[in-house]
Amino acid sequence: MSGKTVLEIKNLSKAFGKNKVLDGINLAVQEGTVCGLMGENGAGKSTMMKCLFGIYAKDEGQISLFGKPIEFRSPKEALENGVAMVHQELQQCLDRTVMDNLFLGRYPKKGGIVDEARMLRESNNLFSSLKMNVNPKTVMRTMSVSQRQMVEIAKAVSYDAKLIVLDEPTSSLTEREVRKLFSIVDDLRKKGVSFVYISHKMDEIFEICDDVAVLRDGKMIFKKPVKDTNMNELISAMVGRSLDKRFPDIDNKPGEEYLEVRDLTTKYEPVLHDISFKVRKGEIFGIYGLVGAGRSELLEAMFGIRTIASGQLLVGGKKMRFSSSKEAMAHSFALVTEERKLNGMFGKDTIRFNTTITNLEAYKTFRFLDNRKMYDAANREIKQMNTKCVSPDELITSLSGGNQQKVIIGKWMERAPQIFLMDEPTRGIDVGAKYEIYQLIVRMAKEGKTIIVVSSEMPEILGITNRIAVMSNHRLAGIVNTNETDQEELLRLSAMYL
């Protein structure tokens, strides 16, 4: 580590109308170091990075790279100057191959024709150098989210970047892949590559980062070596108050059995095999397992968007068989999907539209949609979910990831569902917003709603549930009482059928 400053941001400010998103930000990142960047959703982290990458034009301040002032006009220009970013919400050409995605916008040519042999050779060399087992000819759509995330990380490395921004890079990775990512980061750090590591996961910050900076409400609260701080100080800096505990009291009282999945087997790959469990009214039922274990597929089958080959779904003793999500919704089911950008929201529309889209009949007057009713509904959910925004007519894509998730949950709250299926509901959400969603889950359970929560985070699944079903290789490995189990048992069950 030479101590040379790679990135220096001085007095950076940015406003959208009257809303000042960044206010006099100062940050320096040294060569060969990993600087953690933390803050609640809406604190300004993404806006700061977008100013760096030329997506937004800054209002004030200066950004320097290796001591030279820069003002990139596009992400492409940033990449060409050795600055890369791996976004949490992956933006890839899913119907093209891995190597097509790696070389997008910079195809090597031979005699005026794309040189696919060179692409294949260089792709294989890249994955070999990173010790990744990836076939460059694989079509992206056939890969899991975690595999696509690793490809995006490899792509950043392929640009020979000197500064790489990682935005929630482990949100979709298995524990083994997290270890692999940390190994890659460590190897590159030793070669002088610098990182800005955006994450809400405290344990990762303390494990992989040299320094940590905290943003709150558009201001830089502090930046210091990781060894000189602790979890309580970081939480206090992020939320402006001390958060005494990570999870609320799980004091709901489950009632009678209400939902039953009996011998459920799905039709198409990946096939789920003979899944059976019962969930009570007012219960928070967790589903844990490694990435690819079949957790999301199970929720999709219950919600009518994955074909059931055999088995039964019973609600209140009555047999159900949904052929569409519309049928499931009509029977008081709701589903928060794992990938909010892909299938959880309409990115080109407003908060109001996204809040009301699942419940349009409720906002009609004389058979016509009533804008006032829709506006009031959006305002009601903004207030209930504590969503940070300017107005209901703001585009949902202008919100931070966590606030987008609040809008998505809010749209389902408008339908007052009795069975709430939640797939990674706090993925990419800061510690303060997570706590609010945990409180909402407990409150819904106390109201008698049946909650099923999928989570990859071990502390979360142990912190907010009454019971936990563990999936392993598309089978149910076991069901345990949360207060009678531990991480070791959950890991053992998750590996049962591997």
Side-chain angles (χ1 to χ4, degrees):
M1 206 186 302
S2 67
K4 185 189 297 182
T5 300
V6 174
L7 172 69
E8 186 170 22
I9 296 173
K10 286 184 179 178
N11 198 34
L12 179 65
S13 294
K14 176 67 181 175
F16 295 101
K18 294 180 180 179
N19 184 23
K20 196 158 192 177
V21 183
L22 297 176
D23 188 2
I25 298 293
N26 293 291
L27 178 69
V29 179
Q30 308 305 312
E31 187 175 35
T33 65
V34 181
C35 179
L37 183 60
M38 303 196 77
E40 288 194 281
N41 291 106
K45 305 184 299 295
S46 295
T47 301
M48 183 167 79
M49 292 301 107
K50 286 176 179 178
C51 287
L52 168 64
F53 277 83
I55 299 170
Y56 292 156
K58 63 186 187 298
D59 295 336
E60 298 174 35
Q62 181 176 293
I63 302 174
S64 300
L65 204 61
F66 290 108
K68 180 184 176 183
I70 52 102
E71 195 152 349
F72 300 135
R73 289 163 294 185
S74 68
K76 183 175 185 290
E77 193 176 331
L79 277 168
E80 290 166 350
N81 284 272
V83 181
M85 182 170 182
V86 178
H87 297 269
Q88 179 189 352
E89 306 286 359
L90 300 175
Q91 297 173 328
Q92 297 165 319
C93 299
L94 298 183
D95 293 316
R96 305 300 298 174
T97 64
V98 168
M99 66 181 188
D100 277 331
N101 277 268
L102 287 177
F103 286 94
L104 199 63
R106 50 171 182 157
Y107 287 114
K109 292 182 179 177
K110 189 175 183 181
I113 300 171
V114 173
D115 189 347
E116 293 203 2
R118 180 180 162 190
M119 286 169 61
L120 182 61
R121 184 171 63 252
E122 291 186 7
S123 297
N124 278 323
N125 289 342
L126 172 67
F127 291 125
S128 177
S129 70
L130 296 173
K131 300 183 179 69
M132 288 185 188
N133 184 23
V134 179
N135 182 350
K137 292 185 176 181
T138 304
V139 175
M140 296 294 287
R141 190 176 294 281
T142 65
M143 303 172 78
S144 68
V145 178
S146 62
Q147 290 170 324
R148 291 196 281 118
Q149 186 108 352
M150 295 302 277
V151 169
E152 201 67 12
I153 290 164
K155 182 177 179 178
V157 173
S158 75
Y159 274 89
D160 195 26
K162 300 304 177 192
L163 175 70
I164 300 176
V165 178
L166 299 176
D167 187 3
E168 295 287 348
T170 65
S171 60
S172 301
L173 302 188
T174 64
E175 182 60 30
R176 188 187 310 170
E177 288 165 334
V178 171
R179 294 296 114 208
K180 167 59 67 179
L181 171 65
F182 285 1
S183 173
I184 291 169
V185 169
D186 208 37
D187 287 346
L188 292 170
R189 171 166 50 187
K190 289 170 184 172
K191 295 174 183 175
V193 178
S194 304
F195 292 86
V196 175
Y197 191 95
I198 301 173
S199 180
H200 295 305
K201 298 181 180 179
M202 298 282 182
D203 53 342
E204 292 181 1
I205 294 294
F206 285 102
E207 180 175 353
I208 196 65
C209 296
D210 301 289
D211 305 294
V212 59
V214 177
L215 279 177
R216 185 174 79 232
D217 297 329
K219 293 182 172 67
M220 184 65 72
I221 303 303
F222 71 64
K223 182 204 172 194
K224 58 174 66 175
V226 165
K227 60 183 176 59
D228 294 339
T229 188
N230 57 55
M231 191 177 293
N232 288 337
E233 184 181 26
L234 286 181
I235 292 173
S236 181
M238 285 169 62
V239 302
R241 64 188 186 279
S242 175
L243 201 61
D244 297 326
K245 52 185 181 178
R246 292 176 66 180
F247 304 103
D249 292 331
I250 308 303
D251 53 0
N252 57 310
K253 299 284 189 287
E256 71 273 15
E257 288 177 353
Y258 182 60
L259 172 71
E260 182 180 358
V261 172
R262 186 186 294 170
D263 301 323
L264 185 146
T265 297
T266 54
K267 189 170 184 179
Y268 301 109
E269 291 290 338
V271 174
L272 301 178
H273 301 277
D274 300 320
I275 308 293
S276 297
F277 59 85
K278 297 177 182 179
V279 189
R280 299 172 181 271
K281 272 191 176 182
E283 182 175 20
I284 306 170
F285 188 79
I287 299 180
Y288 181 74
L290 303 177
V291 173
R295 302 163 307 167
S296 297
E297 289 81 359
L298 175 56
L299 296 194
E300 289 168 0
M302 294 171 66
F303 198 64
I305 53 179
R306 186 169 288 271
T307 306
I308 296 174
S310 62
Q312 293 175 337
L313 176 67
L314 297 92
V315 178
K318 185 179 177 182
K319 293 179 183 177
M320 302 283 176
R321 178 64 71 92
F322 305 137
S323 58
S324 69
S325 56
K326 188 176 180 181
E327 287 184 24
M329 289 162 61
H331 287 84
S332 209
F333 277 69
L335 171 64
V336 174
T337 58
E338 178 183 8
E339 290 193 77
R340 55 177 168 263
K341 189 172 182 179
L342 182 66
N343 50 24
M345 68 186 198
F346 292 87
K348 293 183 179 180
D349 228 304
T350 63
I351 296 168
R352 173 168 54 167
F353 180 90
N354 277 278
T355 301
T356 57
I357 187 62
T358 60
N359 202 30
L360 291 177
E361 288 299 319
Y363 314 119
K364 287 184 177 178
T365 300
F366 304 119
R367 296 186 295 126
F368 296 101
L369 283 173
D370 187 324
N371 281 329
R372 171 47 59 185
K373 286 183 178 179
M374 295 170 75
Y375 194 87
D376 290 345
N379 262 329
R380 179 167 58 244
E381 293 305 332
I382 286 169
K383 186 175 181 181
Q384 176 167 296
M385 299 301 298
N386 194 25
T387 306
K388 292 180 182 176
C389 63
V390 176
S391 83
D393 289 324
E394 192 175 353
L395 284 178
I396 192 169
T397 47
S398 70
L399 304 183
S400 65
N403 284 302
Q404 290 174 4
Q405 188 76 330
K406 288 180 179 182
V407 174
I408 290 166
I409 294 174
K411 79 178 177 188
W412 291 116
M413 296 295 288
E414 280 293 297
R415 291 188 63 87
Q418 291 305 305
I419 299 171
F420 215 134
L421 312 177
M422 310 182 87
D423 194 353
E424 304 282 7
T426 66
R427 179 185 169 200
I429 293 179
D430 65 78
V431 65
K434 276 186 177 182
Y435 195 85
E436 291 173 353
I437 289 175
Y438 298 152
Q439 287 178 313
L440 172 67
I441 289 171
V442 174
R443 187 172 80 235
M444 288 194 298
K446 285 182 173 181
E447 292 169 357
K449 298 182 190 301
T450 300
I451 317 291
I452 298 181
V453 180
V454 166
S455 179
S456 300
E457 295 188 34
M458 187 83 76
E460 179 172 272
I461 206 78
L462 289 167
I464 62 163
T465 58
N466 303 119
R467 290 187 298 145
I468 304 167
V470 183
M471 299 284 291
S472 177
N473 197 21
H474 309 105
R475 291 172 169 81
L476 183 63
I479 298 174
V480 294
N481 291 321
T482 304
N483 58 9
E484 295 173 358
T485 192
D486 55 22
Q487 295 193 19
E488 188 177 332
E489 183 176 23
L490 295 187
L491 286 172
R492 179 176 57 77
L493 287 170
S494 66
M496 180 176 286
Y497 294 116
L498 297 182

